[in-house]
Amino acid sequence: MHEHRHAVRQAALAAGWSHRHRDVSGGRLRPTVFGAVDGLVTNASLIAGLGGGGASPHTVILTGAAALVAGAFSMGTGEYVSVTNQNELVHAEVATERTMHARFPAAEQAELADTFIGYGADPETAARMAAAVSQDPDTALRLHTREELGVDPFELPSALGAGVSSLIAFSAGALIPLLPYLAGLNVLAASLGIAAVALLTLGMVVGRLTGRPMLRSGLRQLLLGGVAVAVTYAVGSLIGGGHVT
């Protein structure tokens, strides 16, 4: 039987069968993309507001640099704390589940059998499967937490990794609209132009990673960022032009 299963898998692989999937848990992709987009939109909007209000290039650079540093550390620490709290919650729930396994093993095994029945196994087969799984406490605990919590307690995301990824990504995104000013090209249109290209490119990269139409994903990101920039520019123009005091 084992040889038959192996032969079936080999034939399927030769025909193009694959079980490789992209990471859908959001481990590193989510904080990296979110951080880069947030940094880009935040500083592009901020620079647009300052430009609309007639701020000097020096003020734009100073404010943009301050926003980059402050935002990067805010994003990094926020992501770190968020993932840490989530992991601590999972660990607490796993500890509760482990206690239940130790105190009520028969009830937990019966619950596991019900789970297998829910997946289509007949009661006798489900009972044998539950008994086999329950022989290994770690395997039983892992299966229970997957079913009841929807997470794998042995594969939790790294809080430090998420925080550092978010900090670096925000910094990179926030730096892009500042580049023309840092290079001495003190033209708002140049800053917004490079930000628009970056938003479009980032959106297309995300589309490529998620399997969505690349151009559609890029245009969606550009549109959302453009709305934020336009609104901030309008507010800066109103206040800088003396229309609001």
Side-chain angles (χ1 to χ4, degrees), residues 111-234:
E111 185 179 52
L112 194 57
D114 289 338
T115 298
F116 292 138
I117 291 173
Y119 281 121
D122 62 81
E124 184 179 348
T125 301
R128 289 201 304 269
M129 293 169 63
V133 170
S134 298
Q135 293 299 313
D136 183 352
D138 286 339
T139 300
L141 180 65
R142 189 171 193 171
L143 188 53
H144 273 279
T145 51
R146 279 179 174 177
E147 290 297 321
E148 297 175 22
L149 303 178
V151 296
D152 189 332
F154 298 97
E155 295 183 4
L156 296 178
S158 166
L160 181 61
V164 171
S165 296
S166 186
L167 185 149
I168 293 175
F170 185 98
S171 301
L175 179 63
I176 291 174
L178 268 176
L179 289 176
Y181 286 91
L182 293 175
L185 183 60
N186 302 319
V187 179
L188 179 61
S191 176
L192 298 185
I194 193 173
V197 171
L199 279 171
L200 180 65
T201 302
L202 183 59
M204 293 177 69
V205 170
V206 173
R208 176 69 178 86
L209 291 173
T210 59
R212 293 177 56 86
M214 292 177 59
L215 183 58
R216 180 180 177 183
S217 180
L219 290 175
R220 179 183 64 180
Q221 192 65 69
L222 178 60
L223 175 63
L224 294 173
V227 170
V229 168
V231 170
T232 313
Y233 178 84

Side-chain angles (χ1 to χ4, degrees), residues 14-100:
W17 175 69
S18 174
H19 246 290
R20 286 195 233 173
H21 297 289
R22 286 169 288 211
D23 178 15
V24 297
S25 65
R28 289 293 179 89
L29 178 62
R30 184 185 66 84
T32 300
V33 171
F34 181 69
V37 171
D38 194 16
L40 183 55
V41 173
T42 296
N43 247 16
S45 300
L46 178 63
I47 290 171
L50 292 170
S56 67
H58 175 74
T59 300
V60 171
I61 293 174
L62 176 60
T63 308
L68 186 157
V69 175
F73 279 95
S74 176
M75 285 288 296
T77 55
E79 191 68 30
Y80 175 82
V81 170
S82 174
V83 175
T84 297
N85 290 341
Q86 182 65 29
N87 288 351
E88 289 172 347
L89 177 60
V90 171
H91 288 311
E93 292 301 311
V94 169
T96 299
E97 188 68 26
R98 194 187 302 276
T99 300
M100 293 299 103

